[in-house]
Amino acid sequence: MTENELTIGDSGERPKNFLEEIIEADIKAGKHGGKVLTRFPPEPNGYLHIGHAKSICLNFGLAQKYGGKTNLRFDDTNPVKEDVEYVNSIKEDIRWLGFEWANEFYASDYFEQLYEWAEELIKKGLAYVDDQTQEEIRKNRGTVTQPGKESPWRNRSVEENLDLFRRMRAGEFNDGEKVLRAKIDMAHPNMLMRDPIMYRIIHAEHHRTGNKWCIYPMYDYAHGQSDSIEKITHSICTLEFDVHRPLYDWFIEKLGIFPSKQYEFARLNLSYTVMSKRKLLELVQQKIVMGWDDPRMPTISGLRRRGYTPESIRYFADKVGVAKRDNVIDLSLLEFCVREDLNKRAERRMAVLNPLKVVITNYPEGQVEELEAVNNPEDESAGKRKVPFSREIYIERDDFMENPPKKFFRLAPGKEVRLRYAYFIKCDEVIKDENGEIVELRCSYDPASRGGQSPDGRKVKGTLHWVSATHAVKAEIRLFDRLFSSPDPNNVPEGQDWKVNINPDSLKVIEGYVEPALKDVKHLDKFQFERLGYFCVDYDSTPDHLVFNRTVTLKDTWAKIAGK
Ligand code: ATP
Ligand code: MG
């Protein structure tokens, strides 16, 4: 367990994280006139996931806290994998999380400026066109212990480099024939500083610039300068980019442009979850899930469809904190966060997922009572509703045992329980079919226990949820489990497909009964089904065919782990 995880349940102010300390020191020193401008830079090559949510909350959250702003910048420098579908979903997800960007920018808007700066570096003798193949470049880069070998093209004249680079842009060469490289140091201890590639030739249509370009900047050449163009003060990225920082600074320094600075934090890893966009795309393309927004996906759209609220995700991001070392957060912490939020906000309803019919023999035939039920004990303003009660009801099959063990406080032959908001009932008779399967219970009720109150002080331990059989509405209920059965699904035995860890039983579809008040629900409405968990109306739901997704059960496994 990490120290971050232990802050769950803490009240009061949490200690400042290291990014807040850096920003406060910068403001105090009057750096950039005390201004704070961050950015969120997704590559539009997939849907955003919970790891991105962490980064969004951090970038937007820091700016908000210090009176600054945040840009949304699409890092669209690779024409082959990017698409407008992704651009639109990314914008929708950020807004849904509750954030609004100051400006919407695209790295591709900077292609012309980046190109001019590349010419400037060539003129300064700091960049050259290399004719080596990808393979040769890789081989000649050396190793961590051995210096690299200089390219035979490294000492071309400025004129020749300019001419070749312009012809690269003009489309005179094929993919892979030439690259532009920064001229730094082939013996540099940091491998990324050994004459990194700035531009490669890709003859492909770009989703925004069309066929205007056939040379595209590499991440390292585009990112820092894009930050600088926008005057980003604090460029926050994940830990694996710390080795890129010297290069980030090198380009900015050699070009003498706005000195944006990069800071790294540990990326979010979640147990039982894969977050690589490549892998998520594979799950979608191979139809292993229903789509990017499948409720089992760790995508923001999947979490939304599952029943997560923006508040619960922001709460989670805050609880996870900002670490400088990589760690894995337990999935149950995310579940804890949505439970906490929905407990306060979701109205209660009754539903029976695995029905067993109960006939209350002494209840008048044809009589219906409208009983009062509390919508949310955590929120008085949610009010009350009426729940119909009649002679025939359904209870949960698990709530009855013919031969119960000692501590079973639910229904059993001769035992009495309370029906929530209704009456005490006692089981008189068990009806079975020819196979010995229990098909019905005959019970009697105590009319004096209306509303679930004990009429004479006699104690009844168990309280069951129920629905009236004549009034209940059928509903499809989707019970989700973890998509992966291994806590570390990225850890796959050599030679095996990464998908070996997929849980074959991650979706169970059942038919249950819900109380009639649920007839008029809207997509994404959220409820607590009493004693069962939190459920959310799926996009597939129609008035004639209700569909509910189980967001999370009521059982908190997190509290146990955290030792609460
Ligand atoms: P992938 O490698 O799967 O394509 P990515 O990290 O390249 O993912 P980007 O679209 O480039 O995805 O990410 C946008 C921003 O979100 C980056 O600043 C990145 O650091 C951040 N980010 C991505 N994944 C995580 C994560 N798991 N935890 C925290 N931040 C993340
Ligand atoms: Mg990336």
Side-chain angles (χ1 to χ4, degrees):
M1 201 185 316
T2 71
E3 50 204 312
N4 290 321
E5 292 173 52
L6 285 171
T7 60
I8 266 294
D10 284 358
S11 54
E13 254 192 54
R14 57 167 172 76
K16 279 189 196 97
N17 65 51
F18 75 96
L19 291 169
E20 291 167 336
E21 274 167 7
I22 289 168
I23 292 176
E24 287 184 19
D26 286 348
I27 291 173
K28 213 163 149 198
K31 212 168 163 185
H32 311 303
K35 280 213 187 83
V36 176
L37 182 61
T38 60
R39 88 286 172 263
F40 175 65
E43 184 178 355
N45 63 348
Y47 281 61
L48 297 181
H49 53 58
I50 184 74
H52 293 117
K54 168 71 212 166
S55 172
I56 291 167
C57 291
L58 189 58
N59 278 296
F60 283 87
L62 284 170
Q64 272 173 5
K65 180 163 181 181
Y66 296 106
K69 289 188 169 139
T70 306
N71 285 345
L72 169 60
R73 184 199 318 140
F74 289 100
D75 185 7
D76 57 349
T77 51
N78 184 351
V80 252
K81 289 188 292 180
E82 298 161 1
D83 200 275
V84 263
E85 177 198 348
Y86 300 133
V87 169
N88 293 334
S89 76
I90 288 168
K91 292 201 277 188
E92 185 187 350
D93 287 348
I94 299 173
R95 288 208 169 103
W96 179 77
L97 275 177
F99 299 107
E100 191 60 48
W101 47 92
N103 298 287
E104 176 182 335
F105 289 137
Y106 293 79
S108 57
D109 291 343
Y110 308 141
F111 281 172
E112 193 64 50
Q113 174 69 77
L114 292 171
Y115 176 86
E116 276 169 33
W117 281 336
E119 283 207 357
E120 189 179 324
L121 290 174
I122 292 174
K123 288 175 192 159
K124 287 182 173 164
L126 294 171
Y128 63 97
V129 174
D130 193 350
D131 295 1
Q132 292 182 105
T133 62
Q134 293 276 7
E135 182 57 27
E136 286 166 332
I137 291 175
R138 203 183 48 76
K139 234 177 50 209
N140 291 336
R141 190 161 282 154
T143 64
V144 190
T145 48
Q146 280 184 328
K149 237 174 46 208
E150 292 190 355
S151 165
W153 312 102
R154 195 172 196 263
N155 295 311
R156 277 176 159 150
S157 68
V158 168
E159 291 68 36
E160 191 184 359
N161 279 321
L162 265 184
D163 175 58
L164 286 172
F165 187 50
R166 286 172 184 165
R167 286 164 57 195
M168 277 169 67
R169 175 181 182 167
E172 286 187 30
F173 308 110
N174 294 324
D175 288 12
E177 234 177 278
K178 289 185 169 24
V179 293
L180 185 74
R181 298 178 72 175
K183 195 169 178 176
I184 305 180
D185 179 1
M186 286 307 289
H188 202 285
N190 181 338
M191 301 274 289
L192 289 173
M193 297 295 275
R194 294 182 188 174
D195 292 9
I197 297 173
M198 294 163 59
Y199 274 90
R200 73 265 204 234
I201 302 171
I202 306 176
H203 288 274
E205 193 170 314
H206 185 278
H207 73 107
R208 292 190 89 235
T209 57
N211 290 309
K212 183 165 182 224
W213 295 89
C214 62
I215 55 170
Y216 289 93
M218 300 294 289
Y219 171 87
D220 282 317
Y221 182 64
H223 201 87
Q225 285 86 298
S226 300
D227 284 344
S228 182
I229 290 169
E230 296 175 18
K231 297 195 164 52
I232 299 299
T233 57
H234 300 82
S235 176
I236 298 157
C237 62
T238 45
L239 222 51
E240 65 276 17
F241 287 96
D242 65 343
V243 287
H244 296 248
R245 194 180 343 110
L247 188 50
Y248 181 104
D249 292 337
W250 190 87
F251 283 125
I252 285 179
E253 187 214 311
K254 297 300 174 198
L255 291 166
I257 54 180
F258 182 87
S260 295
K261 286 275 172 219
Q262 175 187 299
Y263 303 93
E264 307 89 21
F265 75 104
R267 69 190 296 119
L268 171 71
N269 299 303
L270 259 189
S271 62
Y272 297 96
T273 307
V274 303
M275 274 192 238
S276 143
K277 280 189 271 188
R278 180 181 59 79
K279 290 180 179 173
L280 297 177
L281 178 65
E282 198 176 319
L283 296 176
V284 172
Q285 284 176 337
Q286 298 192 5
K287 300 201 175 355
I288 292 166
V289 294
M290 298 180 243
W292 283 101
D293 67 352
D294 185 297
R296 291 163 295 179
M297 290 281 270
T299 51
I300 297 178
S301 50
L303 291 165
R304 174 164 65 232
R305 186 171 175 185
R306 176 82 173 245
Y308 277 75
T309 57
E311 290 82 357
S312 64
I313 295 176
R314 296 203 302 261
Y315 182 49
F316 171 73
D318 197 53
K319 287 295 163 202
V320 164
V322 184
K324 274 190 187 170
R325 260 179 304 132
D326 275 318
N327 57 16
V328 180
I329 302 295
D330 204 286
L331 184 58
S332 59
L333 177 62
L334 183 61
E335 292 170 348
F336 169 90
C337 291
V338 73
R339 216 179 264 121
E340 286 269 291
D341 188 35
L342 292 179
N343 179 44
K344 289 191 220 105
R345 303 200 291 155
E347 292 198 0
R348 274 53 169 173
R349 295 289 184 268
M350 289 198 285
V352 172
L353 302 191
N354 187 10
L356 174 61
K357 189 175 241 182
V358 172
V359 177
I360 299 161
T361 49
N362 59 340
Y363 194 84
E365 221 151 324
Q367 178 173 308
V368 178
E369 280 176 275
E370 295 286 336
L371 300 172
E372 205 162 65
V374 175
N375 280 332
N376 187 351
E378 302 284 324
D379 175 13
E380 216 176 305
S381 72
K384 292 180 175 169
R385 69 182 186 287
K386 301 280 191 200
V387 185
F389 183 79
S390 66
R391 192 169 191 266
E392 294 193 359
I393 62 168
Y394 292 120
I395 64 165
E396 215 66 66
R397 222 160 240 283
D398 291 353
D399 281 335
F400 175 79
M401 272 185 101
E402 199 173 10
N403 301 298
K406 228 183 178 170
K407 292 239 156 124
F408 189 79
F409 298 117
R410 291 170 271 168
L411 201 57
K415 288 269 170 62
E416 192 172 41
V417 292
R418 176 189 296 106
L419 293 176
R420 186 103 161 116
Y421 305 118
Y423 293 99
F424 288 5
I425 57 166
K426 200 169 106 192
C427 177
D428 305 317
E429 197 184 343
V430 180
I431 313 287
K432 297 181 181 174
D433 65 11
E434 61 270 29
N435 301 320
E437 179 114 15
I438 300 170
V439 290
E440 189 181 302
L441 303 177
R442 299 268 161 95
C443 295
S444 48
Y445 85 119
D446 178 354
S449 64
R450 196 173 197 267
Q453 306 299 324
S454 181
D456 51 10
R458 78 178 185 273
K459 286 220 163 57
V460 159
K461 266 207 170 149
T463 300
L464 308 188
H465 63 274
W466 53 275
V467 292
S468 162
T470 28
H471 302 87
V473 182
K474 270 193 189 162
E476 176 180 330
I477 316 269
R478 298 178 181 169
L479 304 174
F480 299 103
D481 197 356
R482 294 170 171 169
L483 191 51
F484 294 92
S485 40
S486 155
D488 183 9
N490 291 306
N491 186 4
V492 172
E494 259 212 47
Q496 285 195 38
D497 188 272
W498 70 272
K499 297 192 290 309
V500 287
N501 288 318
I502 284 183
N503 173 9
D505 300 315
S506 60
L507 171 60
K508 202 170 140 204
V509 180
I510 59 169
E511 193 178 64
Y513 289 98
V514 301
E515 67 173 88
L518 285 168
K519 246 186 275 185
D520 305 314
V521 289
K522 294 191 307 295
H523 292 166
L524 299 190
D525 279 354
K526 296 160 183 67
F527 300 97
Q528 184 195 101
F529 288 174
E530 294 210 26
R531 299 177 64 229
L532 297 174
Y534 293 98
F535 291 75
C536 170
V537 182
D538 190 73
Y539 300 136
D540 292 340
S541 191
T542 66
D544 299 328
H545 182 81
L546 297 175
V547 182
F548 290 92
N549 295 325
R550 184 172 68 195
T551 309
V552 68
T553 61
L554 293 179
K555 206 167 95 204
D556 181 11
T557 49
W558 170 253
K560 244 190 263 157
I561 297 170
K564 242 178 88 178

